Amino acid sequence: MLVFHEQPHEKVRVFVDFSPGQNNFKRVIPRAFFWAGKRYDIQSVNLVYQRRRGNKQDWCFAVSDQANAFVLLFNPENLEWILEEVQGQ
Amino acid sequence: MQRIILHFDMNSYFASVEQQANPFLRGKPVGVCSTMSRRGCIIASSREAKTFGVKTGCRVDEAKMLCPQIKLVEVDPPKYRSTTENIVRLCKEYTSEIELYSIDEAFLDFSGLIKSFHQAETLGQIIKTRIRQEAGEWLNCSMGISYTRWLAKFAGDTAPKGGIVIVNPQNRLTYLKGRDLQEAWGIAGALASRLNALNIFTLDELARYSPINLLEVFGIRGYKLWANVNGIELAGLEQRKIPKSIGHSHVLRKRNRDEKFHKAVIMRLAERTGRRLREMNLEAHGIYAFMRAEGLGDFGVSRKVFQPILTTWSIYRQVLEILAPFLKKGMPTFFALGLFNLQPKSDQLSLFEKPKSLNLVKALDIINNKYGEETIVQGDLAGLSDGHAPDRIGFRKTVGLDD
């Protein structure tokens, strides 16, 4: 069975909690984002990883709500958040 | 001083990272495939998929037959590289002597830092816990602890999933007893058959066999086999700063005789290879090219070069020189190219390669570094979609330890 997979690559508005944490998982915590007129409350940040763009690195946050998994990409240069992936069943 | 080496191997790594990133995949059979096509192959399967017989190397259509409910996800190399870097960073807090053997395996040398295997086991448990807390709770690993690199890997490979096995001088022979030769790292079918001919069927029999006879039959390789199972350290941890080779390969999605398309794929592989070479500040003194074509079979050549290779264009030109006669004859299905004899860049001026072309490459690299890969490319590559020869993951040393 193929997992439902969309790659919107759209800029989104994200509410983020910047906390003093011990590692990447705990330091920057996206809490919610708006996409296509709807608010998505993030239940958990599952994986934080980096993706190369030339010699720069973007930060990827694999997050999930109750029904879907998302990848939010943060570009540290222009401070933009982009919704990279949506995965569902 | 007691040598203490810990080897860890992440369990079902790529699939576990995918399950970590997407909690809806957890507890379900997951296959990570090279490409989302019927011909694609499964490069990692989750623990759940393995129970259905879906193994690494299985084709996508075969995997679907074995496990119709399998969830397939396409390989995402940055996710695995970055997770490995996080794990290695964490391990570096315990020892600076680390050999990253592959993307999901590493050796940690604790010699001189701790006194006993028992302490190593405690450290192993702490590392496992921290991996789950800081890299992802779905990530699990098996560990082997011993007094040589080979025995540590053997212990790690034979440890139960998520477990820790200690092989010390006292229990070594008991641990080897009755184990099949092919369970050992470095012994496969043909070599096992040759050992069987000497009446060696198990690892403890190999350990007790005369090293002189093994040396006579297999040469130095025979002695190494004997030394490995007898706990004699031959190599220690590999601290190679310069890789043996850099290369890329691609199985074509489209089968056709379109030479322009094939050249574009070769150019993309050359560009990726060239970018990595220059990023590591190396030059290459050898090159290999390989292709598989329907009706022609396999064809590959490797050769040393007089003039060091630095630029994408020189890689591309030399690969084409090797493959050109075959590109026209058959229908290619697979390309691989790579560079070897790598050395630090010498900046020796060349009589043949114009400094102008090197300056151009530097300028192109600056643009691609700033704006992202393939912002500016050689003409042959223009128009080739991202789906052909995309970023792929290797199973050997793919992440650096220097950062």
Side-chain angles (χ1 to χ4, degrees):
Chain A
M1 183 202 288
L2 274 169
V3 175
F4 154 66
H5 191 198
E6 236 186 276
Q7 295 180 314
H9 299 296
E10 284 175 33
K11 288 178 193 171
V12 285
R13 185 177 164 210
V14 183
F15 291 110
V16 186
D17 187 350
F18 289 84
S19 319
Q22 290 174 328
N23 56 64
N24 296 336
F25 257 99
K26 313 253 166 72
R27 238 176 257 153
V28 178
I29 309 167
R31 297 289 186 195
F33 67 94
F34 284 91
W35 178 47
K38 197 182 160 201
R39 177 182 163 135
Y40 293 84
D41 287 318
I42 294 166
Q43 279 203 327
S44 66
V45 179
N46 306 307
L47 188 72
V48 181
Y49 57 98
Q50 286 172 291
R51 195 178 285 279
R52 245 180 87 141
R53 183 174 33 84
N55 60 357
K56 320 265 183 338
Q57 302 270 2
D58 291 329
W59 286 92
C60 296
F61 294 80
V63 300
S64 54
D65 67 2
Q66 282 187 324
N68 298 297
F70 308 91
V71 175
L72 291 165
L73 183 144
F74 180 66
N75 179 335
E77 277 184 56
N78 59 15
L79 307 181
E80 265 177 3
W81 286 87
I82 293 163
L83 178 63
E84 278 287 297
E85 288 179 39
V86 184
Q87 276 188 38
Q89 316 294 318
Chain B
M1 181 180 73
Q2 173 71 67
R3 287 208 68 186
I4 301 174
I5 295 172
L6 182 147
H7 168 265
F8 73 83
D9 184 351
M10 302 303 295
N11 302 148
S12 308
Y13 187 51
F14 299 166
S16 298
V17 174
E18 291 298 342
Q19 288 175 316
Q20 177 62 43
N22 182 350
F24 301 105
L25 297 176
R26 296 180 192 175
K28 294 177 181 161
V30 173
V32 178
C33 35
S34 51
T35 54
M36 280 290 204
S37 68
R38 207 170 46 80
R39 284 168 182 269
C41 105
I42 303 286
I43 58 165
S45 50
S46 68
R47 200 180 52 206
E48 299 81 6
K50 281 175 185 160
T51 60
F52 288 90
V54 180
K55 290 179 186 162
T56 304
C58 206
R59 279 168 66 132
V60 165
D61 46 4
E62 204 184 325
K64 282 182 185 166
M65 264 171 38
L66 289 166
C67 176
Q69 69 273 38
I70 193 166
K71 297 190 185 298
L72 299 170
V73 286
E74 195 163 344
V75 63
D76 187 5
K79 218 180 261 172
Y80 320 135
R81 285 192 199 114
S82 186
T83 306
T84 300
E85 279 166 8
N86 288 340
I87 294 170
V88 170
R89 202 169 295 130
L90 186 156
C91 292
K92 280 176 111 173
E93 291 180 26
Y94 298 93
T95 174
S96 57
E97 296 294 309
I98 299 179
E99 179 192 339
L100 189 60
Y101 182 69
S102 73
I103 186 104
D104 64 346
E105 274 181 83
F107 294 94
L108 313 182
D109 191 344
F110 292 127
S111 310
L113 300 172
I114 52 174
K115 286 179 183 165
S116 65
F117 290 111
H118 178 67
Q119 283 178 314
E121 188 181 8
T122 310
L123 268 185
Q125 289 290 6
I126 292 171
I127 290 171
K128 271 156 73 88
T129 309
R130 284 195 62 192
I131 287 174
R132 278 200 290 271
Q133 283 171 349
E134 297 174 34
E137 71 266 27
W138 204 256
L139 304 179
N140 206 359
C141 64
S142 308
M143 288 181 168
I145 300 167
S146 194
Y147 53 104
T148 68
R149 179 175 175 266
W150 191 93
L151 280 175
K153 178 155 165 64
F154 174 66
D157 288 346
T158 49
K161 295 290 173 201
I164 301 183
V165 163
I166 298 175
V167 176
N168 56 34
Q170 290 76 41
N171 73 356
R172 178 181 54 84
L173 275 176
T174 325
Y175 194 71
L176 294 175
K177 195 171 182 187
R179 288 192 181 267
D180 188 76
L181 291 171
Q182 292 195 48
E183 279 187 63
W185 177 29
I187 303 182
L191 181 57
S193 306
R194 290 180 68 193
L195 288 164
N196 292 162
L198 299 176
N199 268 335
I200 303 171
F201 295 93
T202 61
L203 290 171
D204 58 308
E205 285 170 357
L206 176 63
R208 289 195 182 93
Y209 201 80
S210 155
I212 295 160
N213 284 359
L214 287 168
L215 196 62
E216 274 176 18
V217 179
F218 297 101
I220 189 68
R221 190 183 183 193
Y223 172 72
K224 284 182 178 174
L225 287 173
W226 180 87
N228 282 336
V229 290
N230 278 291
I232 297 167
E233 185 62 280
L234 294 171
L237 262 57
E238 235 178 74
Q239 298 290 1
R240 191 199 308 260
K241 293 283 176 196
I242 296 176
K244 269 186 189 169
S245 64
I246 300 174
H248 285 269
S249 63
H250 179 59
V251 177
L252 298 178
R253 286 182 176 186
K254 285 199 291 192
R255 307 286 154 99
N256 58 33
R257 290 183 190 274
D258 181 355
E259 210 179 319
K260 202 176 156 195
F261 166 70
H262 298 143
K263 284 183 174 175
V265 171
I266 292 170
M267 176 57 94
R268 175 162 285 157
L269 298 175
E271 170 69 357
R272 286 189 194 287
T273 307
R275 288 274 291 155
R276 282 175 60 200
L277 179 80
R278 294 189 295 276
E279 200 171 76
M280 292 185 216
N281 226 3
L282 299 173
E283 60 185 31
H285 293 258
I287 187 164
Y288 67 83
F290 179 89
M291 71 176 268
R292 185 171 294 142
E294 269 175 22
L296 275 180
D298 295 349
F299 172 75
V301 165
S302 75
R303 64 185 187 199
K304 289 183 180 171
V305 290
F306 173 66
Q307 204 57 40
I309 297 170
L310 276 167
T311 64
T312 300
W313 178 248
S314 57
I315 300 169
Y316 175 69
R317 202 185 54 218
Q318 299 210 35
V319 169
L320 273 195
E321 258 176 43
I322 295 169
L323 298 181
F326 297 88
L327 279 178
K328 288 181 180 143
K329 284 182 192 164
M331 202 182 291
T333 58
F334 175 76
F335 289 118
L337 60 90
L339 304 168
F340 56 93
N341 280 1
L342 304 173
Q343 292 171 15
K345 205 166 133 237
S346 62
D347 282 328
Q348 172 69 48
L349 287 175
S350 161
L351 283 172
F352 307 102
E353 194 139 26
K354 293 173 190 162
K356 203 174 155 187
S357 69
L358 293 177
N359 290 338
L360 175 64
V361 168
K362 274 184 198 163
L364 296 180
D365 281 345
I366 290 169
I367 293 169
N368 286 327
N369 282 343
K370 184 163 184 184
Y371 297 102
E373 294 300 325
E374 295 190 12
T375 299
I376 183 160
V377 292
Q378 307 261 1
D380 296 49
L381 187 46
L384 184 71
S385 88
D386 290 346
H388 299 292
D391 184 16
R392 285 290 172 253
I393 195 92
F395 282 92
R396 280 303 309 264
K397 296 184 174 70
T398 47
V399 278
L401 285 170
D402 297 332
D403 53 323

